[in-house]
Amino acid sequence: MATNTSEAAALAALITTAQDLMAAKMFSLAACVMLFYDIAITFGDEVERVWMRKFNFVTILWFMNRYLSPLGYIIVIVSFHDPWPKSVCDRYVLFPEALKIITSFTIGVVFILRIYAIYFRNKIIAGFACVLLATELGVKIWAFTDGTSLVLPPQLVGCILVGRTPLRFSFTWIAELVFDSVMFILTLWRTIIQNHIRRGNAMSLLTLVIRDGVVYFAVIFVANLVTVLMFLLASPDIKAINASFSTLYVLTFTTSAVF
């Protein structure tokens, strides 16, 4: 009887793990589909507003943000579903976060250029933002090197990155939260000052604030906060469930903001 009870408990645990794992895989796949759908429906605007203009540094940033990271996430999705040997998974497992370093760099530079422009090429503000971005990337590298592959029952497949120490690993998103928050505050402050100078009405201020990043900040802040909380509090099977969405949504929104 005791044996039957333990077997039933083990089976129930396996079913729960399988369900959690499938939910994480499907959520990541949906986030990837969202990004490629956005690429498809905005390709005409992309050709007109990016590729038909003069090639410059911003064009390189655009390409890295638009295509390099999304193509890398195809590998991430494959790793979730393909039964890779453990030796292959162990060599690959840090790839998603290494890819996120590139993503964070390109997006960070885009927003630093934006801050530089709205502060009328203030080198002190730009320098501060660059130091902040470098700090963010350094913290991310420190945090994700704590990563390892999720240990799954032999009946299940997936090469999924989790942290050996959940608190340390969560700093890869905490660092992003800090950078986004400072960029938002700088943007909001400049918007308020400009509105005061121009003596605009409340509606024009609201329009400017929304245009200058409030929606971006709010959604990305919530997405990254959820990711942090999942890594700290959720069961091991679903700790990474929101990681792909938070990263891919940033890519999608940044592209839309440039348009």
Side-chain angles (χ1 to χ4, degrees), residues 18-19 39-40 46 86 96 108 126 130 159 174 180 206 209 227 238:
Q19 291 173 337
I39 291 175
E46 175 186 337
K86 188 177 186 307
C130 288
C159 184
I174 292 173
D180 289 345
L206 178 61
V209 169
T227 303
I238 57 173

PDB file of all heavy atoms in Angstrom, residues 18-19 39-40 46 86 96 108 126 130 159 174 180 206 209 227 238:
ATOM      1  N   ALA A  18       5.128  18.306 -15.803  1.00  0.00           N
ATOM      2  CA  ALA A  18       4.900  18.308 -17.252  1.00  0.00           C
ATOM      3  C   ALA A  18       3.962  19.441 -17.658  1.00  0.00           C
ATOM      4  O   ALA A  18       4.186  20.121 -18.666  1.00  0.00           O
ATOM      5  CB  ALA A  18       4.332  16.961 -17.689  1.00  0.00           C
ATOM      6  N   GLN A  19       2.919  19.662 -16.882  1.00  0.00           N
ATOM      7  CA  GLN A  19       1.975  20.742 -17.185  1.00  0.00           C
ATOM      8  C   GLN A  19       2.637  22.112 -17.056  1.00  0.00           C
ATOM      9  O   GLN A  19       2.452  22.984 -17.915  1.00  0.00           O
ATOM     10  CB  GLN A  19       0.763  20.644 -16.256  1.00  0.00           C
ATOM     11  CG  GLN A  19      -0.127  19.433 -16.526  1.00  0.00           C
ATOM     12  CD  GLN A  19      -1.220  19.279 -15.483  1.00  0.00           C
ATOM     13  OE1 GLN A  19      -1.110  19.769 -14.357  1.00  0.00           O
ATOM     14  NE2 GLN A  19      -2.293  18.583 -15.856  1.00  0.00           N
ATOM     15  N   ILE A  39       7.153  41.846 -36.953  1.00  0.00           N
ATOM     16  CA  ILE A  39       8.105  42.053 -38.049  1.00  0.00           C
ATOM     17  C   ILE A  39       7.392  41.983 -39.389  1.00  0.00           C
ATOM     18  O   ILE A  39       7.622  42.809 -40.290  1.00  0.00           O
ATOM     19  CB  ILE A  39       9.242  41.024 -37.979  1.00  0.00           C
ATOM     20  CG1 ILE A  39      10.135  41.294 -36.759  1.00  0.00           C
ATOM     21  CG2 ILE A  39      10.083  41.047 -39.255  1.00  0.00           C
ATOM     22  CD1 ILE A  39      11.210  40.250 -36.533  1.00  0.00           C
ATOM     23  N   ALA A  40       6.494  41.007 -39.544  1.00  0.00           N
ATOM     24  CA  ALA A  40       5.796  40.810 -40.817  1.00  0.00           C
ATOM     25  C   ALA A  40       4.889  41.995 -41.154  1.00  0.00           C
ATOM     26  O   ALA A  40       4.887  42.481 -42.286  1.00  0.00           O
ATOM     27  CB  ALA A  40       4.991  39.517 -40.770  1.00  0.00           C
ATOM     28  N   GLU A  46       9.313  49.433 -42.347  1.00  0.00           N
ATOM     29  CA  GLU A  46      10.745  49.260 -42.110  1.00  0.00           C
ATOM     30  C   GLU A  46      11.561  49.592 -43.348  1.00  0.00           C
ATOM     31  O   GLU A  46      12.569  50.313 -43.274  1.00  0.00           O
ATOM     32  CB  GLU A  46      11.015  47.826 -41.670  1.00  0.00           C
ATOM     33  CG  GLU A  46      12.473  47.495 -41.501  1.00  0.00           C
ATOM     34  CD  GLU A  46      12.692  46.014 -41.203  1.00  0.00           C
ATOM     35  OE1 GLU A  46      11.753  45.364 -40.702  1.00  0.00           O
ATOM     36  OE2 GLU A  46      13.797  45.527 -41.465  1.00  0.00           O
ATOM     37  N   LYS A  86      22.604  16.088 -22.372  1.00  0.00           N
ATOM     38  CA  LYS A  86      22.987  16.979 -21.283  1.00  0.00           C
ATOM     39  C   LYS A  86      24.293  17.710 -21.577  1.00  0.00           C
ATOM     40  O   LYS A  86      24.457  18.884 -21.218  1.00  0.00           O
ATOM     41  CB  LYS A  86      23.125  16.188 -19.978  1.00  0.00           C
ATOM     42  CG  LYS A  86      23.326  17.093 -18.751  1.00  0.00           C
ATOM     43  CD  LYS A  86      23.383  16.292 -17.475  1.00  0.00           C
ATOM     44  CE  LYS A  86      23.431  17.217 -16.247  1.00  0.00           C
ATOM     45  NZ  LYS A  86      24.498  18.226 -16.314  1.00  0.00           N
ATOM     46  N   PRO A  96      20.903  32.049 -23.845  1.00  0.00           N
ATOM     47  CA  PRO A  96      19.813  33.039 -23.791  1.00  0.00           C
ATOM     48  C   PRO A  96      20.192  34.327 -23.068  1.00  0.00           C
ATOM     49  O   PRO A  96      19.823  35.424 -23.504  1.00  0.00           O
ATOM     50  CB  PRO A  96      18.701  32.288 -23.044  1.00  0.00           C
ATOM     51  CG  PRO A  96      18.978  30.852 -23.290  1.00  0.00           C
ATOM     52  CD  PRO A  96      20.469  30.742 -23.324  1.00  0.00           C
ATOM     53  N   GLY A 108      19.595  49.853 -24.795  1.00  0.00           N
ATOM     54  CA  GLY A 108      20.139  50.901 -23.938  1.00  0.00           C
ATOM     55  C   GLY A 108      20.747  52.038 -24.738  1.00  0.00           C
ATOM     56  O   GLY A 108      20.533  53.218 -24.422  1.00  0.00           O
ATOM     57  N   ALA A 126      24.421  62.374 -20.828  1.00  0.00           N
ATOM     58  CA  ALA A 126      24.741  61.218 -21.667  1.00  0.00           C
ATOM     59  C   ALA A 126      25.793  60.336 -21.005  1.00  0.00           C
ATOM     60  O   ALA A 126      25.698  59.102 -21.041  1.00  0.00           O
ATOM     61  CB  ALA A 126      25.225  61.693 -23.036  1.00  0.00           C
ATOM     62  N   CYS A 130      25.458  56.457 -19.890  1.00  0.00           N
ATOM     63  CA  CYS A 130      26.385  55.422 -20.369  1.00  0.00           C
ATOM     64  C   CYS A 130      26.962  54.616 -19.200  1.00  0.00           C
ATOM     65  O   CYS A 130      27.088  53.386 -19.283  1.00  0.00           O
ATOM     66  CB  CYS A 130      27.518  56.066 -21.169  1.00  0.00           C
ATOM     67  SG  CYS A 130      27.025  56.691 -22.788  1.00  0.00           S
ATOM     68  N   CYS A 159      15.963  22.294 -22.526  1.00  0.00           N
ATOM     69  CA  CYS A 159      17.191  22.865 -21.992  1.00  0.00           C
ATOM     70  C   CYS A 159      16.838  24.281 -21.529  1.00  0.00           C
ATOM     71  O   CYS A 159      16.795  25.218 -22.341  1.00  0.00           O
ATOM     72  CB  CYS A 159      18.283  22.885 -23.061  1.00  0.00           C
ATOM     73  SG  CYS A 159      19.888  23.473 -22.467  1.00  0.00           S
ATOM     74  N   ILE A 174      16.513  42.857 -12.290  1.00  0.00           N
ATOM     75  CA  ILE A 174      16.517  43.998 -11.381  1.00  0.00           C
ATOM     76  C   ILE A 174      17.378  45.120 -11.965  1.00  0.00           C
ATOM     77  O   ILE A 174      17.006  46.307 -11.913  1.00  0.00           O
ATOM     78  CB  ILE A 174      17.036  43.574  -9.993  1.00  0.00           C
ATOM     79  CG1 ILE A 174      16.028  42.622  -9.325  1.00  0.00           C
ATOM     80  CG2 ILE A 174      17.274  44.791  -9.114  1.00  0.00           C
ATOM     81  CD1 ILE A 174      16.514  42.021  -8.018  1.00  0.00           C
ATOM     82  N   ASP A 180      15.755  51.185 -16.673  1.00  0.00           N
ATOM     83  CA  ASP A 180      14.503  51.686 -17.252  1.00  0.00           C
ATOM     84  C   ASP A 180      13.899  52.791 -16.391  1.00  0.00           C
ATOM     85  O   ASP A 180      13.364  53.778 -16.910  1.00  0.00           O
ATOM     86  CB  ASP A 180      13.493  50.547 -17.396  1.00  0.00           C
ATOM     87  CG  ASP A 180      13.864  49.567 -18.495  1.00  0.00           C
ATOM     88  OD1 ASP A 180      14.735  49.913 -19.316  1.00  0.00           O
ATOM     89  OD2 ASP A 180      13.305  48.456 -18.524  1.00  0.00           O
ATOM     90  N   LEU A 206       0.035  65.384 -21.293  1.00  0.00           N
ATOM     91  CA  LEU A 206      -0.258  63.960 -21.260  1.00  0.00           C
ATOM     92  C   LEU A 206       0.171  63.288 -22.551  1.00  0.00           C
ATOM     93  O   LEU A 206       0.771  62.209 -22.539  1.00  0.00           O
ATOM     94  CB  LEU A 206      -1.762  63.752 -21.023  1.00  0.00           C
ATOM     95  CG  LEU A 206      -2.252  62.300 -21.000  1.00  0.00           C
ATOM     96  CD1 LEU A 206      -1.574  61.535 -19.864  1.00  0.00           C
ATOM     97  CD2 LEU A 206      -3.765  62.259 -20.853  1.00  0.00           C
ATOM     98  N   VAL A 209       3.981  63.022 -22.605  1.00  0.00           N
ATOM     99  CA  VAL A 209       4.474  62.023 -21.667  1.00  0.00           C
ATOM    100  C   VAL A 209       4.269  60.620 -22.219  1.00  0.00           C
ATOM    101  O   VAL A 209       5.163  59.760 -22.158  1.00  0.00           O
ATOM    102  CB  VAL A 209       3.783  62.182 -20.296  1.00  0.00           C
ATOM    103  CG1 VAL A 209       4.094  61.001 -19.402  1.00  0.00           C
ATOM    104  CG2 VAL A 209       4.246  63.469 -19.629  1.00  0.00           C
ATOM    105  N   THR A 227       8.881  38.826 -13.883  1.00  0.00           N
ATOM    106  CA  THR A 227       9.974  37.875 -14.099  1.00  0.00           C
ATOM    107  C   THR A 227      10.814  37.713 -12.837  1.00  0.00           C
ATOM    108  O   THR A 227      11.177  36.591 -12.451  1.00  0.00           O
ATOM    109  CB  THR A 227      10.864  38.339 -15.264  1.00  0.00           C
ATOM    110  OG1 THR A 227      10.062  38.504 -16.442  1.00  0.00           O
ATOM    111  CG2 THR A 227      11.957  37.318 -15.548  1.00  0.00           C
ATOM    112  N   ILE A 238       8.598  26.576 -13.485  1.00  0.00           N
ATOM    113  CA  ILE A 238       8.041  27.743 -14.177  1.00  0.00           C
ATOM    114  C   ILE A 238       8.776  29.036 -13.829  1.00  0.00           C
ATOM    115  O   ILE A 238       8.268  30.122 -14.105  1.00  0.00           O
ATOM    116  CB  ILE A 238       6.532  27.899 -13.885  1.00  0.00           C
ATOM    117  CG1 ILE A 238       6.281  28.010 -12.373  1.00  0.00           C
ATOM    118  CG2 ILE A 238       5.739  26.756 -14.479  1.00  0.00           C
ATOM    119  CD1 ILE A 238       4.838  28.338 -12.020  1.00  0.00           C
TER     120      ILE A 238
END
